[in-house]
Amino acid sequence: MSQTRIKFCGLTRAEDVRLAVELGVDYVGLVFAPLSPRRLLLGQAKMLRELVPEEIAVVALVMDNKTTEITTIIEDIRPDILQFHGAEDDAYCAAFSRPFFKAIAMGGNSDGAFAAIARYPSASGLLFDGHAAGEQGGSGQRFDWKQLPSTLDKPFLLAGGLTPDNVAVAIRTAHPWGVDVSSGIESSPGAKDAAKMRRFVEAVRHADRP
């Protein structure tokens, strides 16, 4: 059985990045969305990025950021992957010549959400999140995991309302390629809880066992 990838998103503190690395997560997400409470300044992000070894991918999350801002993020932070959460179209996302994930908002009209999948042929992967279109990610909103298609031609990550207590059920229900967690391992926005981080990884690894 393949191992579910783990992405810890919205990290803002050095100690949280160090623990994520120690726990062996696959992706560390740094947030640059203008309205997010976890948004990083470039100086903060550069410091955190230096703590991530090359075997772990750094994901830069943006949401309708200006082109110049994204270009600067790429130059200064050197993310391995971009993650788009706004109204960006496929051509815009692909124009930065970086692999990218496109978030699909599952809150509200799920039929519209599934229709959006076909509009991102260039995406390396999709991220199904519980928030409604136009809202911020990292809000901890869940959606019905059984809504997800049983077959997709792209890898997908499951996000929205995941916690150490429910992630195993989510994996067994939706069979995602990866899981993405932010608020579910926090004590407050941007401040991760070490015990929850450890329990989340343990729960995913337990769910992966036959």
Side-chain angles (χ1 to χ4, degrees), residues 31-37 39 61-66 69 136:
V31 175
F32 300 92
L35 300 179
S36 172
R39 183 187 188 185
L61 188 155
V62 295
M63 183 174 179
D64 299 318
N65 291 62
K66 296 176 181 177
E69 292 175 345
Q136 298 288 320

Side-chain angles (χ1 to χ4, degrees), residues 66-145:
K66 296 176 181 177
T67 301
T68 52
E69 292 175 345
I70 298 174
T71 301
T72 300
I73 290 166
I74 291 171
E75 291 173 351
D76 287 6
I77 311 303
R78 309 179 324 279
D80 300 286
I81 299 170
L82 297 174
Q83 182 173 312
F84 293 92
H85 265 261
E88 308 94 349
D89 62 19
D90 186 74
Y92 184 83
C93 297
F96 297 96
S97 301
R98 277 282 197 283
F100 73 89
F101 296 149
K102 182 65 182 78
I104 306 294
M106 294 297 294
N109 180 5
S110 60
D111 290 339
F114 293 131
I117 294 172
R119 297 201 293 268
Y120 294 94
S122 303
S124 300
L126 301 169
L127 184 140
F128 294 104
D129 206 341
H131 63 80
E135 294 180 353
Q136 298 288 320
S139 57
Q141 298 176 71
R142 271 184 58 180
F143 65 96
D144 182 359
W145 302 317

Side-chain angles (χ1 to χ4, degrees), residues 104 106 110-111 113-118 126 128 143-158 173-177:
I104 306 294
M106 294 297 294
S110 60
D111 290 339
F114 293 131
I117 294 172
L126 301 169
F128 294 104
F143 65 96
D144 182 359
W145 302 317
K146 294 177 182 176
Q147 290 180 314
L148 293 177
S150 56
T151 56
L152 280 172
D153 62 357
K154 291 184 186 297
F156 76 91
L157 294 98
L158 188 63
T173 301
H175 307 290
W177 176 82

